[in-house]
Amino acid sequence: MAYKAPVRDLTFILSDVLDIDRYANQPGFQDVSAELAQQVLEEAGRFADEVIAPINNPGDKEGCRIEGSVVTTPKGWKEAYAQMVEAGWPSLTMDPEYGGQGMPQVLGSAVGQFTAGASAAFSMYPGLTAGAWAGIHANASDELKRKYLPKMTTGEWTGTMNLTEPQCGTDLGMVRTKAVPQPDGSYRITGQKIWISAGEHDFAENIIHTVLARVEGAPAGIKGLSLFLVPKFLVNEDGSLGERNGVQCAGLEEKMGIHGNATCVMAYEDATGWLIGEEGRGMNNMFVVMNEARLGTGLQGLAIGTAAYQAAVDFARDRLQGRSLTGPKNPEGPADPIIVHPDVRRMLLEARAFVEGGQAFILWTALHADLEKSEDEAVAQKAKDYMGLLTPVLKAYLTDKGFHAASLAMQVHGGSGYTEHFPASQYLRDARITMIYEGTNGIQALDLVGRKLPANGGRAIMSWFAEIDAFVSENGGEGPIKPFVDGLADSKKKLQEATMWLMQNGMANPDNAGAASTDYLNIFGITALAYMWARMAKAAQAKIDGGSDDPFYAGKLATGRYFVERILPDAQAHLAKLKTGADVLMSVPAEAF
């Protein structure tokens, strides 16, 4: 089965659901019409289908190799990346001041879904570069930006983020990597980082590492951390490469999946680095990189689910097993294709409802990343609030459901899915890491209830509720989309009830907030997708009412109805569990486990 980029689905979201033409007065959208967006997506889809997808499974089987400290990527990967750079895809949304094309993030997120769907492991190389680029662009000095960003913009140089160490993952206050100031304003960086995606490879002549370290004498904990730019090769004043820096790959991780991505142990020995931003504000500055990465991880998990769903559909159409419960549908053959069976259809529609709803959620959120740059202060503030509130939801919920879709796809394949002869196994293995890295999904849930909900007196969540209420009020009444609107209203009510429970019980006992956090995030994710499905249903029904007989729109409505009837009810179960609090969790002594 060959992956096919979901160009039609994402074009529909951009043009008919989000109506990007209405944002022509916003920064970055002046020259971007729905027509141009469709052309970009068609071209990006072809590139993903024809250049990236064919190397995905062979790359999974071959993996990366290391000799000494030199890492080689799978056969054909270096060449595919060179084609990507030559075609200009890495620079699509980058700042024109540094050679980028300045396209909106919402368009870049659509293209990113294609790249990650075609090969999750391959997409991590440009993905990590984009994250490092964002951190440097937001916080570094003009001198560093001029020196490093142009070639990172084109993709000639790649980037990484170096946080984790053997003794610390989530608890970055335990970072030991040290930075010693030098008379020339640089720092000497010494320490070890682990699980560094794309830390060493043969794609680019230079790799720009963003490294979290503690300046000698700085206080312990988070407040003592600073962020540094540490290149693989030092860069001369004329932009040419100088001597090799004191950083190298000390080993590759043996992983469950994403075999084509080089996940490295990085050793820093008196490496020369430069401060990004101010000393002691490393975590503040790194959050720019981390938030970019978290959104990218949500996109990646969802895109893998999309690819797995496609593979399952193809298998279900071809695999002959048993007869339909209502009589043979393939009377001339020995059996019917398994797609006739209700339970197989349940699995396919479950996966499809999540991935198509998730596609819209990603693009809707990316649109708000663009609107943060609006000259209208109210629009920019709302967009900033939404990005803070929704980032943990998007990362955790979509990676959970991307993995769920991949698991359903394997189940559709039956025993064949458990072998390496079919793609289901790779999709399941690749999807699983997305729930862990860039902050585990449990950490995302804690971030949501502990930091994002109460921020600015709950301004973001109140704005979110008001937006949903306005949509429900405007689109209520009778008609084909009434079930979607009613379902959204009901889910929002449950989310509001859960929010009130947290406010009343979380402060009295913080363990209540911790115990409720994952269920709360799930209610939030269900409500977010309910909003997306209501908007998609409205757009699809408008096309049908306008005379279109294109089965695409009827298919959207049918999938959306599955979401409303079969998935929305889960919100009630999550609400019931949330309200039980922490008592049962914390009552069991540690030694009893």
Side-chain angles (χ1 to χ4, degrees), residues 221-301:
I222 293 291
K223 293 182 179 179
L225 297 178
S226 300
L227 184 63
F228 298 91
L229 184 156
V230 186
K232 174 180 175 180
F233 285 95
L234 300 177
V235 179
N236 299 319
E237 290 305 314
D238 63 0
S240 62
L241 295 185
E243 63 183 35
R244 176 70 185 259
N245 206 355
V247 53
Q248 65 178 3
C249 177
L252 290 178
E253 299 289 354
E254 294 288 339
K255 310 186 299 289
M256 175 181 175
I258 54 169
H259 294 150
N261 190 267
T263 306
C264 303
V265 176
M266 301 301 297
Y268 292 84
E269 294 289 343
D270 282 333
T272 301
W274 288 268
L275 187 66
I276 297 175
E278 302 173 11
E279 279 192 19
R281 292 188 59 80
M283 282 305 298
N284 301 72
N285 297 336
M286 183 57 89
F287 267 122
V288 176
V289 185
M290 290 170 67
N291 284 337
E292 182 99 5
R294 285 171 177 173
L295 292 168
T297 302
L299 179 154
Q300 182 188 52

Side-chain angles (χ1 to χ4, degrees), residues 3 52 87 189 204 250 262 294 307 311 353 356 358 365 372 391 409 424 434 444 448 466 483 549 578:
Y3 170 77
I52 302 175
I189 312 296
R294 285 171 177 173
E356 292 186 6
T365 305
E372 281 190 273
T391 293
T434 65
Q444 301 301 322
L448 175 64
D549 59 357
L578 176 150

Side-chain angles (χ1 to χ4, degrees), residues 415-439:
S416 298
Y418 201 66
T419 72
E420 294 297 329
H421 299 296
F422 288 83
S425 171
Q426 183 188 350
Y427 290 135
L428 191 75
R429 290 185 284 103
D430 285 354
R432 190 60 184 85
I433 186 58
T434 65
M435 301 162 70
I436 298 172
Y437 61 14
E438 309 310 339

Side-chain angles (χ1 to χ4, degrees), residues 148-471:
Y148 292 96
L149 287 186
K151 288 195 175 181
M152 292 180 74
T153 296
T154 60
E156 293 173 78
W157 295 351
T158 62
T160 71
M161 51 189 291
N162 285 233
L163 287 77
T164 307
E165 299 181 5
Q167 78 287 350
C168 70
T170 300
D171 190 356
L172 291 171
M174 298 170 66
V175 162
R176 293 176 185 163
T177 298
K178 68 176 182 178
V180 181
Q182 301 300 300
D184 64 357
S186 67
Y187 291 75
R188 292 289 182 184
I189 312 296
T190 300
Q192 185 185 82
K193 299 289 184 177
I194 62 170
W195 306 338
I196 306 306
S197 302
E200 178 63 33
H201 53 77
D202 55 0
F203 281 13
E205 60 181 6
N206 206 4
I207 302 173
I208 314 304
H209 304 287
T210 54
V211 183
L212 208 56
R214 194 179 309 279
V215 176
E216 208 171 38
I222 293 291
K223 293 182 179 179
L225 297 178
S226 300
L227 184 63
F228 298 91
L229 184 156
V230 186
K232 174 180 175 180
F233 285 95
L234 300 177
V235 179
N236 299 319
E237 290 305 314
D238 63 0
S240 62
L241 295 185
E243 63 183 35
R244 176 70 185 259
N245 206 355
V247 53
Q248 65 178 3
C249 177
L252 290 178
E253 299 289 354
E254 294 288 339
K255 310 186 299 289
M256 175 181 175
I258 54 169
H259 294 150
N261 190 267
T263 306
C264 303
V265 176
M266 301 301 297
Y268 292 84
E269 294 289 343
D270 282 333
T272 301
W274 288 268
L275 187 66
I276 297 175
E278 302 173 11
E279 279 192 19
R281 292 188 59 80
M283 282 305 298
N284 301 72
N285 297 336
M286 183 57 89
F287 267 122
V288 176
V289 185
M290 290 170 67
N291 284 337
E292 182 99 5
R294 285 171 177 173
L295 292 168
T297 302
L299 179 154
Q300 182 188 52
L302 192 281
I304 297 170
T306 303
Y309 161 74
Q310 290 183 2
V313 169
D314 275 13
F315 185 88
R317 286 172 174 158
D318 293 339
R319 177 68 165 169
L320 303 181
Q321 290 285 283
R323 288 296 188 187
S324 167
L325 298 174
T326 55
K329 301 297 185 287
N330 178 35
E332 303 304 316
D336 289 332
I338 63 172
I339 201 167
V340 306
H341 303 308
D343 196 58
V344 171
R345 287 173 166 252
R346 174 191 63 81
M347 292 186 283
L348 293 176
L349 276 170
E350 180 114 345
R352 180 174 175 175
F354 279 124
V355 300
E356 292 186 6
Q359 289 165 355
F361 187 26
I362 288 169
L363 296 188
W364 183 85
T365 305
L367 176 61
H368 286 88
D370 290 312
L371 294 178
E372 281 190 273
K373 307 183 186 88
S374 176
E375 296 173 359
D376 184 321
E377 290 185 13
V379 170
Q381 184 63 69
K382 178 181 176 182
K384 184 177 181 180
D385 286 349
Y386 275 9
M387 291 302 293
L389 179 69
L390 295 173
T391 293
V393 179
L394 189 149
K395 190 279 180 188
Y397 192 72
L398 294 190
T399 56
D400 272 354
K401 298 312 173 186
F403 179 76
H404 180 53
S407 181
L408 289 170
M410 176 175 278
Q411 192 71 15
V412 170
H413 279 78
S416 298
Y418 201 66
T419 72
E420 294 297 329
H421 299 296
F422 288 83
S425 171
Q426 183 188 350
Y427 290 135
L428 191 75
R429 290 185 284 103
D430 285 354
R432 190 60 184 85
I433 186 58
T434 65
M435 301 162 70
I436 298 172
Y437 61 14
E438 309 310 339
T440 65
N441 288 357
I443 293 296
Q444 301 301 322
L446 288 173
D447 180 47
L448 175 64
V449 303
R451 295 179 64 244
K452 301 305 174 58
L453 278 183
N456 302 303
R459 184 175 66 200
I461 189 68
M462 292 300 107
S463 179
W464 167 252
F465 286 152
E467 178 166 337
I468 292 176
D469 286 342
F471 181 89

